[in-house]
């Protein structure tokens, strides 16, 4: 009986495998046909991944549709099959999206046409369909909503060409509407901080005759963060802004703004502990903690401790030091535990200077107090930045100092990028006075002569009754030392207008020598 049972299973398995093999021999793709409004067969077949001779399955068909759809070239994609004697005939139907021939805009006043087209990434020759139009409309309206135009409407019109069915002229029409202004602001859910105090810190304001009171979405988001920050300085560490609501008043361009907050409960500071510090003692670091146990919780005080401790470590060369403040809440008390990872001292590998076209590199380099081989020091880095700015050879916003990892571990490169500005001034003019009569002036000065950091000034006045000549030169680093040397000569001649015999004549000069002190 057992043997018969085994034989039946064997026969069943044989026929099952035979049927499977037979099916596999007949599920091959024998032909692929593409039906489209444009001759695009080669592209469709290549991108679909389907090939004659390959087996057809539900997964391969689904993958083909997905691949073609992701090209974003078609309005519709479908795949069907017809059974043949030795396999299947695949029919791929696609409808190619129209192509933009011309783009016209009207009604845009708040933005330039170029700004809009760049934002929606619409150019001539690009395929366009309903899905893309929805996305482009959303981008345009978001731009207007951020500016306060909440009633703005955008419309896309596609005009097919009579002689080319897949090309269209696109017209984008904009109805900007009025810029929305805020009629009132109210806060809901606040029990411990008044509406007046909360709205005072907000940049979003109610419309008045002396201020616009415009609604701007991005500004409101920042205001929400300010509200939460204020709560966290008053002990309410769990405070959140739940949402905001806008509803229109009687006028179309006036809205009422309601902000909903959840304060949570008030907390107090508990114990403050440290862990991981070996370079500094607990007493040295805890000196930065200004709060005591029982004081109202204030998250800004925690951030200040983290900053001060980080600066101390950075000034000692521990550039990678990390200070994490872990808060342990129990009841209405919050214990603060500062977890410190000191890592290793980082040293300066190179100081790289970029952007100086005229100014010699040594002029910048001699103002840098952080040198290769030294341990990193944030104070010295900031001082170097100030000293380079004080030269007045570079654009104030164009002096950038940063650091980056060097090739060797625990080393960094200091990178200084400068943008030069004009340091020379030339003047020429003429004037007349009762005393000196007609007089002409020629003047020139340069505080960075030939890019060497030297200064020169020249002034020449020539008139009927007055003649003067002045020439000065300054070397701020004599013999490449912090010694300033300057020399000036002058020649002044003047005749009194009351008498031809009353004349004044002076010639002379002076020199100056000074040394930069290391202290104070």
């Amino acid at each position: 009986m057992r043997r018969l049972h085994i034989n039946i299973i064997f026969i069943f398995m044989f026929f099952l495998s035979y049927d499977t093999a037979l099916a596999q021999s007949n599920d091959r793709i024998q032909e692929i046909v593409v039906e489209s409004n444009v001759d695009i067969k080669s592209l469709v077949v290549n991108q679909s991944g389907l090939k004659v001779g390959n087996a057809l399955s539900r997964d391969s068909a689904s993958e083909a549709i997905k691949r073609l759809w992701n090209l974003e070239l078609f309005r519709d994609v479908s795949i069907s099959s017809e059974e043949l004697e030795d396999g299947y005939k695949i029919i791929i139907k696609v409808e190619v999206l129209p192509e933009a021939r011309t783009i016209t805009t009207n009604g845009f006043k708040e933005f330039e046409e170029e700004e809009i087209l760049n934002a929606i990434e619409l150019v001539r020759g690009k395929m366009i369909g309903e899905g893309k139009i929805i996305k482009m409309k959303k981008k345009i309206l978001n731009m207007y909503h951020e500016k306060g135009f909440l009633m703005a409407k955008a419309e896309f019109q596609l005009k097919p060409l009579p002689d080319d069915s897949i090309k269209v002229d696109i017209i984008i029409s904009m109805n900007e509407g009025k810029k929305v202004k805020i009629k009132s602001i109210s806060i809901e859910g606040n029990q411990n901080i008044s509406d007046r105090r909360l709205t005072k810190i907000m940049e979003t304001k109610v419309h008045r005759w002396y201020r616009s009171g415009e609604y701007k979405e991005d500004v409101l988001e920042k205001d929400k963060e300010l509200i939460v920050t204020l709560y966290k300085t008053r002990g309410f560490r769990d405070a959140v802004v739940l949402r905001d609501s806008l509803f229109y008043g009687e006028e179309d361009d006036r809205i009422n703004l309601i902000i909903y907050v959840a304060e949570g409960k008030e907390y107090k500071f508990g114990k403050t502990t440290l862990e991981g510090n070996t370079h500094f003692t607990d007493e040295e670091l805890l000196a930065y903690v200004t709060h005591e146990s029982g004081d109202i919780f204030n998250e800004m005080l925690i951030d200040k401790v983290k900053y001060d401790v980080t600066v101390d470590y950075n000034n000692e060369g521990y550039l990678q030091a990390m200070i994490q403040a872990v808060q342990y809440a129990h009841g209405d008390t919050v214990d603060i535990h500062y977890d410190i990872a000191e890592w290793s001292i980082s040293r300066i590998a190179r100081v790289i200077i970029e952007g100086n076209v005229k100014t010699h590199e040594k002029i910048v380099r001699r103002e840098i107090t952080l040198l290769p081989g030294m341990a990193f020091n944030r104070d010295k880095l900031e001082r170097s930045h100030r000293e380079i700015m004080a030269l007045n050879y570079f654009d104030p916003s164009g002096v950038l100092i940063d650091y980056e990892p060097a090739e060797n571990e625990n080393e960094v490169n200091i990178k200084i990028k400068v943008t030069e500005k004009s340091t020379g001034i030339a003047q020429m003019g003429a004037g007349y006075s009762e005393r000196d009569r007609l007089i002409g002036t020629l003047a020139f000065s340069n505080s960075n002569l030939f890019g060497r950091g030297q200064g020169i000034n020249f002034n020449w006045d020539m008139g009927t009754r007055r003649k003067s000549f002045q020439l000065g030169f300054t070397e701020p680093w004599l013999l490449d030392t912090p010694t300033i040397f300057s020399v000036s000569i002058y020649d002044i001649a003047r005749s009194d207008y009351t008498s031809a015999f009353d004349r004044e004549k002076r010639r002379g000069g002076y020199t100056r020598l000074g040394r930069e002190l290391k202290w104070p």
Side-chain angles (χ1 to χ4, degrees):
M1 189 68 179
R2 184 178 177 187
R3 183 177 219 173
L4 178 62
H5 179 67
I6 293 173
N7 287 337
I8 291 172
I9 294 175
F10 176 76
I11 293 168
F12 175 76
M13 293 294 292
F14 171 78
F15 280 107
L16 180 63
S17 62
Y18 176 78
D19 288 343
T20 303
L22 183 62
Q24 287 177 349
S25 65
N26 292 330
D27 69 354
R28 302 289 173 179
I29 299 172
Q30 301 299 327
E31 184 183 357
I32 300 176
V33 176
V34 176
E35 296 179 2
S36 172
N37 56 338
V38 179
D39 184 10
I40 199 172
K41 178 179 178 180
S42 179
L43 173 66
V44 171
V45 173
N46 289 336
Q47 294 297 325
S48 70
L50 300 175
K51 294 182 180 179
V52 173
N54 286 0
L56 176 66
S57 67
R58 183 177 295 179
D59 290 342
S60 61
S62 299
E63 185 64 28
I65 292 175
K66 185 177 179 181
R67 286 186 178 189
L68 293 173
W69 193 256
N70 287 340
L71 294 175
E72 296 187 349
L73 297 176
F74 309 112
R75 177 181 285 130
D76 188 32
V77 178
S78 66
I79 295 179
S80 60
S81 64
E82 291 182 5
E83 192 172 350
L84 304 176
E85 291 183 4
D86 54 351
Y88 289 95
K89 173 184 175 181
I90 303 301
I91 301 140
I92 305 176
K93 293 182 180 181
V94 295
E95 185 180 353
V96 178
L97 289 171
E99 176 187 320
R101 187 189 72 156
T102 62
I103 303 168
T104 307
T105 63
N106 58 65
F108 289 95
K109 298 176 184 178
E110 187 68 20
F111 296 97
E112 298 290 336
E113 178 183 290
E114 187 177 354
E115 288 182 83
I116 295 295
L117 296 182
N118 286 340
I120 64 178
E121 299 177 350
L122 181 59
V123 294
R124 291 179 59 187
K126 186 171 183 177
M127 301 293 190
I128 186 169
E130 289 301 320
K132 292 184 179 180
I133 289 175
I134 291 171
K135 291 179 182 178
M136 289 189 284
K137 274 186 179 181
K138 187 175 180 181
K139 282 187 179 180
I140 292 173
L141 294 180
N142 284 342
M143 292 171 67
Y144 272 91
H145 289 173
E146 288 176 1
K147 289 275 190 176
F149 292 89
L150 300 186
M151 304 294 290
K153 295 180 181 179
E155 296 296 334
F156 281 71
Q157 185 179 1
L158 307 184
K159 289 188 174 181
L161 300 185
D163 56 343
D164 194 337
S165 61
I166 67 160
K167 287 191 177 179
V168 294
D169 292 329
I170 301 175
I171 302 172
I172 307 174
S173 301
M174 192 71 202
N175 181 3
E176 295 183 335
K178 293 180 180 180
K179 185 173 282 192
V180 170
K181 300 183 186 300
I182 297 174
K183 183 178 180 181
S184 68
I185 302 175
S186 58
I187 315 291
E188 295 288 339
N190 55 317
Q191 305 263 333
N192 295 277
I193 303 180
S194 66
D195 285 23
R196 183 177 180 182
R197 181 69 185 96
L198 292 173
T199 55
K200 186 176 181 180
I201 65 171
M202 294 171 58
E203 189 175 336
T204 303
K205 300 292 184 184
V206 173
H207 172 68
R208 294 286 184 266
W209 65 268
Y210 53 86
R211 65 178 178 230
S212 65
E214 295 175 356
Y215 170 81
K216 294 182 180 179
E217 194 173 305
D218 57 335
V219 175
L220 180 59
E221 290 303 316
K222 292 178 182 176
D223 288 338
K224 292 178 188 177
E225 294 175 7
L226 292 174
I227 289 173
V228 172
T229 300
L230 177 61
Y231 267 104
K232 290 188 176 183
T233 64
R234 300 288 188 89
F236 299 92
R237 65 189 290 269
D238 299 329
V240 293
V241 173
L242 298 172
R243 67 184 189 279
D244 65 87
S245 295
L246 300 172
F247 62 93
Y248 288 88
E250 297 176 357
E251 301 171 273
D252 290 342
D253 61 340
R254 297 290 188 271
I255 59 171
N256 300 295
L257 170 63
I258 303 177
I259 299 174
Y260 298 89
V261 300
E263 294 182 333
K265 63 181 179 182
E266 186 182 61
Y267 288 87
K268 295 180 174 57
F269 278 115
K271 296 184 299 182
T272 300
T273 54
L274 298 166
E275 183 182 2
N277 53 304
T278 58
H279 186 79
F280 294 104
T281 65
D282 286 5
E283 290 73 19
E284 289 175 312
L285 298 183
L286 289 174
Y288 291 115
V289 178
T290 57
H291 58 80
E292 296 180 359
S293 180
D295 289 350
I296 297 297
F297 178 85
N298 185 338
E299 200 160 271
M300 288 184 66
L301 297 180
I302 301 173
D303 292 338
K304 188 175 185 307
V305 171
K306 288 171 60 180
Y307 175 80
D308 291 338
V309 172
T310 301
V311 169
D312 262 9
Y313 271 102
N314 288 170
N315 287 337
E316 293 292 318
Y318 294 90
L319 180 58
Q320 301 178 63
M322 295 178 63
I323 292 86
Q324 183 179 6
V326 183
Q327 301 180 19
Y328 296 101
H330 49 94
D332 63 348
T333 303
V334 182
D335 295 334
I336 310 299
H337 178 72
Y338 293 98
D339 192 4
I340 301 172
E342 295 180 337
W343 302 107
S344 304
I345 291 178
S346 297
R347 297 194 174 275
I348 309 302
R350 298 172 57 208
V351 178
I352 303 167
I353 300 171
E354 297 177 349
N356 53 312
V357 179
K358 180 184 77 170
T359 307
H360 292 203
E361 186 172 298
K362 75 172 186 177
I363 305 303
V364 181
R365 197 170 289 279
R366 66 195 183 191
E367 303 297 332
I368 301 168
T369 55
L370 203 54
L371 304 177
M374 295 174 61
F376 181 87
N377 186 298
R378 186 173 295 277
D379 281 351
K380 289 184 178 180
L381 186 69
E382 293 176 356
R383 179 180 175 181
S384 299
H385 183 264
R386 291 194 300 269
E387 296 292 340
I388 294 171
M389 291 275 288
L391 291 174
N392 204 27
Y393 304 156
F394 310 107
D395 191 308
S397 61
V399 179
L400 304 174
I401 297 186
D402 204 352
Y403 53 86
E404 59 186 15
E407 295 180 4
N408 298 328
E409 191 178 2
N410 297 328
E411 285 189 341
V412 293
N413 295 326
I414 302 299
K415 197 170 185 179
I416 302 171
K417 190 172 183 179
V418 297
T419 302
E420 292 184 318
K421 69 175 185 178
S422 175
T423 55
I425 300 174
Q427 293 178 323
M428 184 169 57
Y432 179 85
S433 69
E434 183 67 25
R435 177 176 178 176
D436 296 324
R437 300 294 175 89
L438 187 65
I439 187 169
T441 300
L442 183 65
F444 169 79
S445 67
N446 194 322
S447 60
N448 188 19
L449 188 64
F450 305 122
R452 301 185 182 197
Q454 299 164 334
I456 187 171
N457 61 83
F458 166 77
N459 192 27
W460 183 32
D461 292 343
M462 178 65 71
T464 307
R465 293 175 173 170
R466 187 183 76 181
K467 295 183 176 100
S468 69
F469 173 84
Q470 292 180 335
L471 177 64
F473 174 80
T474 301
E475 169 58 77
W477 276 68
L478 184 64
L479 302 176
D480 287 331
T481 65
T483 304
I484 185 170
F485 169 76
S486 63
V487 59
S488 179
I489 59 174
Y490 59 87
D491 185 355
I492 302 173
R494 182 196 297 272
S495 61
D496 194 284
Y497 70 98
T498 58
S499 171
F501 300 100
D502 190 1
R503 293 177 177 274
E504 175 191 16
K505 193 167 186 179
R506 289 185 293 152
R507 288 180 180 174
Y510 68 87
T511 61
R512 183 163 61 103
L513 192 67
R515 181 79 175 185
E516 179 183 328
L517 299 177
K518 293 184 179 180
W519 184 90

